[in-house]
Amino acid sequence: MGVQDAPAWLVPAFTRNVLEAGGTAPASDIRRTAEDLLERWTRPERHFHNLRHLVDVLARVDELDEEAHHPELVRLAAWYHGAVFDSAERKAYANQGGEDEAASAVLAREQLTALGVPEAQAQRVAALVSALVRHTPDPSDSDCAVLCDADLAMLATEPQRYKSYLQDVRAEYAHLPVEDYVRARVRILHKLLARPSLFISPLAQPWEEPARQNVSAELQRLEKEVARLEAAAAERDAGEGTERTERTEGTGPAGVNGAAGVTGGTMNGSTTGA
């Protein structure tokens, strides 16, 4: 999905939200900023955190906006919440994945201020973006609760779409070894299930049970995968230990038999590893 595939309503919606937030820049400048954001959301390395996700989050904000004090700021925060994204290996998936909320918050403040949005409003959008680092909003901050709930709403989708979501997330981190990814994902799921509630907004409460069912089912599958990986690693280590023992026993005093034992062990090792 590229910029050309973006729904036609996105740029006008962004323009409206900027103006509602107090922006004073010409419409052409606001449009260019929206197009820059769309280009960021449609980069090829994004498989889940892409334009479809942005649209989904905005749609969920629409469902919850009765609870927001400043829905226009929540919508702007949705635009910026994953604007800066890097799934490179140096990013710890278990901590924040590829979404760089800190850098996205800085981008929000800089771009919105440049569009004439008052500093207090631009800073508020940046603060909402930053709050997504841990997805633990203050229950008294309804705007933050709406944004966090909208961002986590994918957890509550029907099982088939949840499966597609998992495939897309894995594709974004295809460079991570299976075991590293699975263990990181298990840690994330345990943290989610340990929360008293996944969703804070009253209107989002119907999402709680389906989300927990999806997360629990995924966790059960991944814990079986971890057990399988551990069993395979133990078997591999045992095999390597046996091979080392055989090599050691085959190495005798210097002489014809000793040399033959070393050579034979090396060849066997090479054949096994091929």
Side-chain angles (χ1 to χ4, degrees):
M1 180 178 288
V3 173
Q4 68 276 7
D5 300 313
W9 57 265
L10 277 173
V11 172
F14 179 81
T15 300
R16 182 173 62 254
N17 295 153
V18 169
L19 295 176
E20 290 171 343
T24 58
S28 58
D29 290 351
I30 301 175
R31 183 175 61 253
R32 278 193 293 270
T33 299
E35 291 169 349
D36 170 72
L37 289 169
L38 290 176
E39 189 277 329
R40 292 172 179 272
W41 280 102
T42 55
R43 288 176 181 170
E45 68 271 18
R46 294 173 178 252
H47 296 271
F48 170 70
H49 296 94
N50 55 16
L51 185 61
R52 187 179 298 106
H53 175 61
L54 170 61
V55 171
D56 285 344
V57 173
L58 289 170
R60 295 296 191 171
V61 170
D62 286 347
E63 292 182 43
L64 305 176
D65 68 354
E66 292 180 16
E67 298 181 19
H69 289 306
H70 300 284
E72 75 283 358
L73 300 185
V74 177
R75 290 187 175 93
L76 288 174
W79 273 85
Y80 282 99
H81 84 280
V84 179
F85 182 87
D86 181 7
S87 63
E89 193 164 0
R90 65 180 179 274
K91 294 289 185 181
Y93 175 66
N95 293 330
Q96 69 175 122
E99 288 182 311
D100 191 333
E101 287 87 356
S104 296
V106 170
L107 180 69
R109 186 168 57 250
E110 291 176 346
Q111 288 194 341
L112 292 176
T113 301
L115 293 177
V117 174
E119 177 65 29
Q121 304 292 74
Q123 182 56 44
R124 175 57 173 160
V125 172
L128 289 171
V129 173
S130 296
L132 292 180
V133 171
R134 298 191 181 279
H135 277 91
T136 53
D138 179 349
S140 66
D141 187 342
S142 60
D143 288 343
C144 188
V146 165
L147 180 63
C148 288
D149 287 353
D151 191 37
L152 285 181
M154 178 56 67
L155 299 178
T157 56
E158 61 276 8
Q160 191 57 41
R161 191 174 181 198
Y162 188 81
K163 181 179 180 180
S164 297
Y165 148 70
L166 297 181
Q167 292 170 343
D168 290 340
V169 172
R170 180 63 182 118
E172 283 183 340
Y173 302 96
H175 56 277
L176 293 181
V178 172
E179 185 169 357
D180 292 349
Y181 177 81
V182 169
R183 291 186 182 279
R185 185 75 184 174
V186 165
R187 289 194 293 272
I188 291 172
L189 299 179
H190 274 299
K191 289 179 181 178
L192 287 171
L193 291 175
R195 295 182 181 185
S197 178
L198 294 171
F199 301 101
I200 305 301
S201 307
L203 286 176
Q205 291 312 299
W207 303 344
E208 186 74 24
E209 186 57 30
R212 287 192 175 273
Q213 289 178 357
N214 282 334
V215 172
S216 297
E218 181 192 358
L219 180 58
Q220 186 176 21
R221 290 193 301 272
L222 291 184
E223 287 182 331
K224 289 180 180 178
E225 178 68 7
V226 169
R228 187 192 66 78
L229 290 169
E230 289 177 344
E235 183 177 350
R236 184 171 60 251
D237 290 344
E240 291 174 354
T242 300
E243 185 178 349
R244 284 194 297 269
T245 300
E246 291 174 348
R247 288 181 179 179
T248 301
E249 291 176 350
T251 304
V256 175
N257 289 338
V262 172
T263 304
T266 302
M267 289 177 67
N268 288 339
S270 298
T271 302
T272 301

